[in-house]
Amino acid sequence: MATKLPKEPVVVIGMGWAGGIIASELTKAGIKVVGLERGKERKMSDYLMVHDELRFQHREELMQDLSKETVTHRNNSKMRALPMRQYGTFIVGDGLGGAGSHWNGQTYRFLPYDFEIKTMTEERYGKNKIKADYPLQDWGITYDELEPYYDTFEKMSGISGETVELYGHRSNPYPTKPMLKTPVLEEFEKAAKKLGYKPYMMPSANLSENYENPDGIARAACQYCAYCENFGCEYGAKADPVVTVLPVAQETGNLDLRTHANVTRILNDGTKATGVIYVDALTGEEFEQPAEVVVVASYVFNNARLLLNSGLGKPYNPADGTGVIGKNYCYQVSSGYSTLFYNDREFNLYAGAGALGIEIPEFTGDNFDHANENFIHGAGIRSTQYGNRPIANNNVPIGTPSWGKEFKEQSIKYTNSILQVKSQGASMPHRQNYIDLDPTYKDAYGMPLLRITYDYTEQDKALVKYMAKVTRSIAEEMGPDHIDTVGEQAPFNVNVDTNTHNTGGVIMGAEPETSAINSYQQMWDAENVFVVGASAFPHNSCFNPTGTLGALSYRAAEGIETYLKQGGSLV
């Protein structure tokens, strides 16, 4: 029997970027918030002197324990889904800060094209351009409507960057200047300019200079130490909920933060939520937390899983395309890259940062003509310098044995002599790519795991072939002695693919027939439930999702504050 606690105005499930932003905004407005985080508490001092690649990169200390809770995967509905037992294709954060603690810091805005993708694609190419099996839809909001919230997120986190002509308009410049342009990035820049492209420095949540944000949070500049992804930042240079929005919320005295609090169900009567049930992960004790508003901000997979396990919203049915919870699961398409090997040149590859990179805009979104192509949208073509770490950097040319004398010789030869021209492609929804509850496997609390049914599509394969030609042309201009280009997209493998950007499952839109939530992230079917995160994306763009997630979180916070005053649907 769960211990019933006093009712509170708002309970937030998950204390990463989405939950942290909402907690910060509501508590500043004087609203009491209960924040439930299933992992442990963290603060910046926990990150001091922990440049331990084995502990954090390979043993994944900041990630969810897959022995207690994981996902299952199959490539299609004819296969049996099996649990993901080790991390490969994506990593799921655990603990205060969530993915906002272990991320790289690449902070883009999506394009105006993204938010009205169906309308704009049909206007330019006709209705036949979008195939029937691709349930593409507009987002129920435009770029111009979301732009002020992007601006707020960038000022809070101190994003370093430069304005790009081919992207959406900006009401303000980035709050800090771009990161340093290293000799590695200059190699890409020179080659790209020779080919007529306009490269720009990647927008970065790794501060290029000391910065104090509008909330009075002061942070130091990036030291280019190379320990960003999978690590917390000991300098506070990388924007992280633990060093930005959460301290602001805690300072108000209006945030009741409870760690090791794993929410298993959202209590509801079918039309409104009444609260949540959570388990204290340390003692096993179960609690009921009643609330006027329930905010689900617990990452893409858990957002959908909680709704499905709680009977909220209509589950998606791939057979006829009806239902919305689990619909439009998307990933990203990262093949098409080229690897450059130099025999007589060396670079300093051990310094770097998670968002130290340079990119060209010409192949993103609809910035090039797709009339004769078998795909829509595009890819960011880029070169990055994350900084190599000592254990897991043994890049060798394709065809080299994976062990033995030749592997060692090639690995040593190219240790400081390898660069990459990368491609990060957009992911369009497909009717047979979705998430639902697994009928067989359960977590440590006896709740069904989330099942992913996903494989790359013909759209993805065509995009990869196109972008491989682009990356190779830039690579050739950079003058290496050998180039390997991955020009074909293999089947999706949950243990191998390496892009970490999952989206969809609780998507936003303009009407309840095709979406789960409105533009304030408020559920159509339960007006006091707000589901916030990249789970809201109807498709995934060619950019990293955090900037858009942050903007939508600020808009959701505004909506929740309005709802507490007047109730009802906000749209």
Side-chain angles (χ1 to χ4, degrees), residues 261-492:
N262 197 334
V263 176
T264 56
R265 297 192 312 281
I266 302 167
L267 301 174
N268 68 91
D269 61 9
T271 59
K272 291 185 76 172
T274 57
V276 302
I277 294 290
Y278 73 90
V279 178
D280 186 315
L282 298 179
T283 67
E285 189 176 0
E286 196 172 55
F287 295 91
E288 177 184 344
Q289 178 59 68
E292 293 178 46
V293 169
V294 174
V295 180
V296 189
S298 56
Y299 192 66
V300 169
F301 298 143
N302 204 50
N303 283 2
R305 180 171 176 248
L306 268 176
L307 296 182
L308 291 168
N309 276 326
S310 304
L312 274 170
K314 184 179 180 181
Y316 173 67
N317 181 357
D320 60 13
T322 61
V324 291
I325 307 301
K327 177 183 176 181
N328 285 33
Y329 169 70
C330 292
Y331 186 57
Q332 265 175 339
V333 188
S334 296
S335 294
Y337 61 88
S338 293
T339 305
L340 295 68
F341 298 88
Y342 295 85
N343 292 334
D344 302 311
R345 295 188 65 188
E346 290 190 341
F347 305 92
N348 176 9
L349 301 178
Y350 285 84
L356 180 59
I358 193 166
E359 184 162 342
I360 58 173
E362 283 84 359
F363 297 97
T364 61
D366 202 32
N367 284 330
F368 59 106
D369 187 8
H370 292 75
N372 297 318
E373 308 301 335
N374 292 323
F375 65 92
I376 62 169
H377 217 297
I381 306 299
R382 57 176 64 167
S383 183
T384 59
Q385 188 170 350
Y386 299 154
N388 289 347
R389 300 172 193 138
I391 297 175
N393 284 285
N394 294 286
N395 292 301
V396 294
I398 292 174
T400 304
S402 59
W403 63 282
K405 180 181 178 182
E406 185 181 352
F407 170 77
K408 292 177 183 177
E409 289 175 346
Q410 295 288 80
S411 177
I412 292 169
K413 176 180 178 179
Y414 292 116
T415 295
N416 298 305
S417 302
I418 177 173
L419 304 179
Q420 280 194 323
V421 179
K422 302 177 180 179
S423 169
Q424 180 168 272
S427 178
M428 298 299 103
H430 191 276
R431 186 166 171 169
Q432 298 301 323
N433 288 337
Y434 61 96
I435 49 183
D436 64 358
L437 293 178
D438 193 284
T440 304
Y441 295 99
K442 294 178 170 58
D443 68 8
Y445 301 105
M447 304 300 291
L449 295 180
L450 193 77
R451 178 173 64 179
I452 302 170
T453 302
Y454 179 81
D455 204 354
Y456 293 115
T457 64
E458 294 306 311
Q459 143 88 25
D460 299 331
K461 295 171 185 177
L463 186 148
V464 165
K465 285 184 179 180
Y466 184 100
M467 295 304 164
K469 295 176 184 177
V470 179
T471 66
R472 190 170 186 92
S473 66
I474 296 174
E476 289 172 348
E477 196 66 43
M478 292 169 71
D481 296 286
H482 176 76
I483 302 171
D484 283 337
T485 300
V486 179
E488 299 285 339
Q489 180 60 64
F492 181 77

Side-chain angles (χ1 to χ4, degrees), residues 99-155:
S101 292
H102 71 72
W103 71 316
N104 259 335
Q106 298 172 24
T107 315
Y108 299 82
R109 298 179 174 196
F110 282 10
L111 302 167
Y113 174 68
D114 283 306
F115 300 101
E116 300 174 88
I117 187 169
K118 185 174 188 293
T119 298
M120 289 185 176
T121 300
E122 290 179 346
E123 284 177 351
R124 184 172 181 180
Y125 304 108
K127 291 189 176 183
N128 291 334
K129 185 66 175 176
I130 302 171
K131 306 294 192 298
D133 285 338
Y134 294 84
L136 208 63
Q137 64 185 62
D138 296 344
W139 288 41
I141 193 172
T142 66
Y143 174 88
D144 287 344
E145 289 171 320
L146 196 58
E147 198 281 334
Y149 305 100
Y150 273 123
D151 187 61
T152 300
F153 180 76
E154 290 165 355
K155 288 174 179 174

